[in-house]
Amino acid sequence: MQRKEFAKLVLEHQARLRMFIRMLGAMPDAVDDLAQDAFVVAYERIDTLDDFDQAGPWLRSIARNLVRNELRKSSRRRRVVNTSISEAMLAMSDEPATASWTEDWFTALRKCVEHLPGHGRALVDGRYNRGQNASQIANETDMTPAAVRQALSRLRGLLRTCVETRLSEGST
């Protein structure tokens, strides 16, 4: 494969690959690094890709393995938001993840977040959109850091259940 063809592959798949990596639980500031790592691995192993129509699933499997490796590395700075949610999403992502499935998952998640009470939405926004830790969120609310962590844990469970329900009912 020539550079020009690989550049086209990157342009075609970079946005969805970044969304997929974020969905797996990578911190927002690490998504680009992990996507770049995935494309480097893909470039090095491009000769193993038999069908370019399957480049999306192939790239997602590379990214999935990179996120799994991040979970295993305890001595390195963690680039994963939450181990339990990442492990759950990695397990779900082992199923064939088509572009449609990824889009449906994000649509369902967005709708589930919209249906959270205002306080819950603010906690999720602080943690996942603004990248704040529990202490920073606690400083903005009348909660302790421990209460923030507990509330986020409950919210992740609610969101996971909501997304799974929407996807199983086909009501994204």
Side-chain angles (χ1 to χ4, degrees):
M1 172 178 265
Q2 296 180 10
R3 282 183 191 220
K4 195 180 229 183
E5 291 172 316
F6 189 77
K8 182 181 174 193
L9 183 120
V10 171
L11 288 172
E12 185 178 328
H13 294 280
Q14 66 181 336
R16 281 197 173 113
L17 186 65
R18 282 206 284 295
M19 282 191 332
F20 181 73
I21 292 168
R22 182 68 177 115
M23 178 196 73
L24 294 177
M27 293 176 59
D29 61 343
V31 170
D32 287 338
D33 290 341
L34 287 165
Q36 182 178 2
D37 292 347
F39 283 117
V40 168
V41 170
Y43 186 78
E44 292 170 350
R45 298 181 183 164
I46 195 68
D47 56 330
T48 65
L49 179 61
D50 297 327
D51 181 3
F52 286 98
D53 290 336
Q54 294 301 310
W58 180 67
L59 288 166
R60 287 190 294 277
S61 70
I62 292 170
R64 188 181 305 112
N65 289 332
L66 289 171
V67 172
R68 277 195 180 108
N69 289 341
E70 283 295 321
L71 284 171
R72 290 185 192 120
K73 295 176 185 174
S74 60
S75 63
R76 263 186 81 186
R77 180 183 146 265
R78 281 241 146 151
R79 295 196 284 189
V80 175
V81 172
N82 180 291
T83 304
S84 62
I85 197 167
S86 290
E87 288 171 349
M89 295 312 300
L90 282 166
M92 282 178 62
S93 75
D94 283 335
E95 300 167 10
T98 62
S100 171
W101 180 89
T102 304
E103 289 173 18
D104 290 348
W105 189 92
F106 273 104
T107 300
L109 178 61
R110 217 173 290 115
K111 287 183 180 177
C112 290
V113 170
E114 288 171 3
H115 286 91
L116 288 174
H119 184 69
R121 271 194 317 271
L123 292 174
V124 169
D125 178 64
R127 181 66 188 107
Y128 298 104
N129 290 334
R130 295 183 295 164
Q132 294 178 309
N133 63 31
S135 297
Q136 292 168 321
I137 295 170
N139 287 336
E140 294 180 358
T141 62
D142 292 332
M143 300 173 76
T144 65
V148 169
R149 284 188 291 275
Q150 185 175 24
L152 285 169
S153 177
R154 288 183 183 143
L155 288 166
R156 282 189 296 270
L158 288 171
L159 290 172
R160 184 180 312 116
T161 301
C162 178
V163 168
E164 289 171 354
T165 301
R166 284 182 169 275
L167 290 175
S168 69
E169 293 174 350
S171 61
T172 56

